[in-house]
């Protein structure tokens, strides 16, 4: 029986542990991973803009959508474009998310898991995870818990809580 496992990746330590758990699950015959990273559709913060500029500038310049925005600009810095429109910011976030998924998919494949899809939707993380699970016929969701420190660390993160209360399939939260 085919089993589709969705793993949510956000770059956190908990998400890395969730990936290890999900990749192990996906080693079973007929199982496959669907990897998802939800990008925010809000404006980039100054820190995110600097990260995009310093860490992902080359990758962003090679993105066809961003190249279209820059066309004719030659050496125009990616940073200059990032502040100009929501479209360029979303393109930057998607490029960063795609790179994160490419890297983590390589890790999952190396562990012996079959990776079927890499998804980078934009919007509310919990809503996008639930929508993807429904749309793609996901059998199991694996995601990391976000520690809040102190007493709050006993409580699951808001995204994890929202997902487990809305999905119809089993959900494993990895800490």
């Amino acid at each position: 029986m085919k089993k589709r496992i969705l793993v949510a990746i956000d770059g956190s330590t908990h998400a890395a542990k969730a990936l290890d758990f999900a990749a192990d699950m996906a080693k079973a015959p007929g199982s496959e991973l669907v990897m998802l990273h939800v990008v925010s559709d809000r404006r980039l913060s100054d820190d995110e803009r600097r990260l995009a500029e310093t860490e992902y500038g080359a990758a962003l310049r090679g993105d066809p959508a961003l190249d279209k925005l820059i066309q004719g600009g030659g050496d125009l810095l990616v940073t200059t474009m990032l502040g100009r429109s929501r479209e360029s910011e979303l393109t930057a976030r998607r490029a960063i998310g795609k790179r994160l998924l490419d890297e983590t998919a390589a890790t999952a494949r190396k562990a012996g898991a079959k990776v079927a899809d890499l998804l980078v939707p934009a919007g509310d993380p919990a809503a996008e995870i639930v929508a993807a699970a429904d749309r793609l016929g996901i059998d199991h969701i694996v995601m990391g818990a976000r520690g809040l420190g102190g007493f709050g660390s006993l409580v699951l993160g808001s995204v994890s809580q929202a997902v487990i209360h809305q999905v119809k399939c089993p959900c494993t939260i990895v800490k």
Side-chain angles (χ1 to χ4, degrees), residues 32-50:
E32 62 186 19
L33 278 181
V34 174
M35 299 178 68
L36 177 135
H37 173 79
V38 181
V39 297
S40 173
D41 54 3
R42 64 172 170 69
R43 298 294 302 213
L44 283 175
S45 69
D46 290 339
D47 288 339
E48 289 170 320
R49 193 172 285 107
R50 278 190 292 279

Side-chain angles (χ1 to χ4, degrees), residues 1-168:
M1 181 172 113
K2 184 176 179 180
K3 185 168 188 172
R4 294 178 54 87
I5 303 157
L6 185 143
V7 60
I9 303 295
D10 67 0
S12 69
T13 303
H14 292 285
K17 290 177 183 178
L19 174 65
D20 291 342
F21 187 89
D24 195 48
M25 285 179 68
K27 290 179 188 177
S31 295
E32 62 186 19
L33 278 181
V34 174
M35 299 178 68
L36 177 135
H37 173 79
V38 181
V39 297
S40 173
D41 54 3
R42 64 172 170 69
R43 298 294 302 213
L44 283 175
S45 69
D46 290 339
D47 288 339
E48 289 170 320
R49 193 172 285 107
R50 278 190 292 279
L51 175 67
E53 169 191 337
T54 58
E55 296 293 322
Y56 300 98
L60 296 174
R61 282 186 202 92
D63 184 279
L66 192 56
D67 284 345
K68 184 178 178 183
L69 289 171
I70 297 174
Q71 62 182 283
D75 294 331
L76 192 59
L77 294 174
V78 171
T79 318
T80 306
M81 293 308 298
L82 289 177
R84 290 199 178 164
S85 73
R86 284 247 198 255
E87 181 182 350
S88 63
E89 290 183 352
L90 194 53
T91 298
R93 280 201 170 102
R94 281 203 167 109
I96 292 167
K98 173 97 170 68
R99 182 171 167 183
L100 175 63
L101 284 184
D102 287 343
E103 291 168 1
T104 54
T107 300
R109 288 183 182 108
K110 200 176 287 187
K114 178 183 177 194
V115 177
D117 293 304
L118 303 177
L119 307 172
V120 188
D124 173 68
E128 292 299 329
I129 292 167
V130 171
D134 289 344
R135 185 178 68 251
L136 300 173
I138 296 299
D139 300 300
H140 197 114
I141 296 172
V142 179
M143 57 191 303
R146 302 294 301 245
L148 302 176
F151 177 75
S153 66
L154 299 175
V155 181
L156 291 175
S158 60
V159 173
S160 302
Q161 282 189 348
V163 169
I164 61 175
H165 290 297
Q166 295 178 50
V167 293
K168 298 171 183 121

